[in-house]
């Protein structure tokens, strides 16, 4: 009682140990209430500079119909605040295509915000009216073929934007923490300070190790790098 996420983050980061914290999804109305405190808490090096902030729609009228307690400008303000303090922050967001009442103008507003804000990750969903929900009974339902077309258009823009953002990391040299095995043999995936997934190749077991790497390729979903250095205390024994 009497606390908030920012206070909790600072308490967690005060614990001794070599670890990193990734904050999960934050709704804009929740983040707005503690924005200054939250940005300050993210300054700790133990916190990944990763922000998952769902937009859902780039149109305020559609957000009202979704019963979202925030506006598009609220979303923008939070993003701007984080990017002012952390220029390389990884921004993930969510959008829903085809919510009842989303006309073409409203959908294009969503595309415009994606294009202007340029999130690193955009999770695109197609609206589906679950039986018994208020949204399923709303007027102005969008036909399934149009919902599919819009989601395809949004996903295409999202992929282009993700690639553009990832290309900014080409040539970057820094540390990554290996946290999973890759999908191809002898590959490993680590995260840098901004929680960017960076794939490397090695015959060694690298899980849990911290490596110095140099990014040499960028894709829409991840980066690849060569291992620049494995600290002596991190080498396999």
């Amino acid at each position: 009682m009497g606390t908030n996420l920012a206070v909790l983050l600072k308490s967690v980061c005060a614990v001794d140990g070599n670890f990193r914290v990734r904050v999960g999804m934050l709704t804009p109305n929740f983040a707005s209430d503690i924005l200054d405190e939250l940005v300050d808490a993210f300054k700790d090096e133990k916190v990944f500079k990763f922000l998952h902030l769902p937009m859902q729609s780039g149109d305020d009228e559609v957000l009202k119909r979704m019963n979202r307690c925030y506006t598009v400008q609220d979303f923008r303000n939070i993003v701007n605040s984080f990017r002012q303090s952390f220029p390389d922050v990884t921004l993930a967001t969510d959008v829903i295509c085809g919510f009842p009442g989303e006309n073409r103008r409203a959908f294009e507003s969503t595309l415009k915000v994606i294009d202007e804000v340029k999130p690193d990750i955009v999770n695109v969903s197609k609206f589906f009216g679950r039986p018994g929900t208020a949204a399923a009974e709303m007027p102005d339902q969008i036909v399934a073929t149009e919902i599919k077309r819009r989601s395809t258009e949004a996903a295409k823009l999202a992929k282009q934007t993700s690639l553009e953002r990832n290309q900014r990391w080409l040539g970057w040299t820094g540390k990554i923490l290996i946290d999973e095995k890759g999908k191809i043999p002898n590959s490993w995936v680590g995260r840098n300070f901004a929680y960017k997934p960076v794939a490397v190749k090695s015959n060694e077991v690298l899980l849990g190790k911290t490596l110095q790497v140099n990014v040499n390729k960028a894709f829409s979903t991840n980066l690849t790098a060569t291992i620049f250095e494995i600290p002596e205390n991190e080498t396999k024994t």
Side-chain angles (χ1 to χ4, degrees):
M1 299 293 292
T3 189
N4 59 42
L5 177 61
V7 174
L8 177 61
L9 263 180
K10 289 186 176 182
S11 297
V12 170
C13 291
V15 175
D16 289 336
N18 182 20
F19 62 90
R20 296 292 181 270
V21 179
R22 188 196 69 133
V23 177
M25 185 181 71
L26 294 166
T27 58
N29 53 305
F30 176 82
S32 293
D33 291 339
I34 57 170
L35 184 54
D36 291 340
E37 293 177 84
L38 201 56
V39 170
D40 188 57
F42 265 72
K43 292 178 181 177
D44 195 294
E45 64 179 14
K46 290 181 177 178
V47 180
F48 282 116
K49 305 308 179 272
F50 173 86
L51 177 66
H52 185 180
L53 192 72
M55 178 175 68
Q56 306 298 14
S57 174
D59 182 84
D60 286 341
E61 290 302 315
V62 174
L63 289 175
K64 286 181 182 178
R65 292 174 69 92
M66 291 179 174
N67 286 324
R68 307 290 175 177
C69 301
Y70 57 85
T71 66
V72 177
Q73 190 56 48
D74 292 333
F75 172 82
R76 288 179 179 275
N77 290 342
I78 297 165
V79 172
N80 289 339
S81 292
F82 269 84
R83 283 182 169 165
Q84 284 175 6
S85 293
F86 317 109
D88 295 318
V89 65
T90 294
L91 172 64
T93 194
D94 309 317
V95 299
I96 299 173
C97 296
F99 193 85
E102 181 194 67
N103 56 28
R104 182 67 199 183
R105 178 196 57 78
F107 173 65
E108 288 180 350
S109 293
T110 298
L111 297 181
K112 182 179 179 181
V113 176
I114 293 173
D115 188 50
E116 292 178 355
V117 174
K118 298 191 182 303
D120 297 77
I121 303 165
V122 183
N123 302 309
V124 179
S125 299
K126 296 188 288 286
F127 171 76
F128 172 74
R130 294 179 181 175
T133 62
E137 304 300 323
M138 284 182 176
D140 303 320
Q141 297 283 327
I142 313 297
V143 297
T145 52
E146 177 61 14
I147 292 176
K148 182 178 179 180
R149 193 194 66 75
R150 292 183 188 182
S151 66
T152 299
E153 188 175 351
K156 181 179 179 180
L157 175 61
K159 185 176 181 179
Q160 293 172 347
T161 302
S162 294
L163 176 59
E164 181 181 335
R165 291 290 295 176
N166 281 349
Q167 286 174 334
R168 298 170 65 250
W169 291 91
L170 287 172
W172 177 81
T173 296
K175 293 181 179 180
I176 63 171
L177 173 64
I178 303 296
D179 61 356
E180 62 180 293
K181 293 181 67 175
K183 294 181 179 179
I184 60 176
N186 300 322
S187 68
W188 305 88
V189 179
R191 306 281 178 164
N192 69 3
F193 71 90
Y195 204 67
K196 282 289 184 183
V198 183
V200 297
K201 289 185 177 181
S202 175
N203 293 325
E204 294 190 52
V205 177
L206 299 179
L207 200 62
K209 300 186 184 300
T210 299
L211 312 178
Q212 190 84 0
V213 301
N214 178 260
V215 173
N216 53 24
K217 290 183 181 179
F219 303 91
S220 61
T221 55
N222 68 285
L223 307 169
T224 64
T226 54
I227 299 174
F228 184 74
E229 178 186 359
I230 304 179
E232 288 186 6
N233 62 342
E234 295 284 357
T235 56
K236 183 181 176 183
T237 57

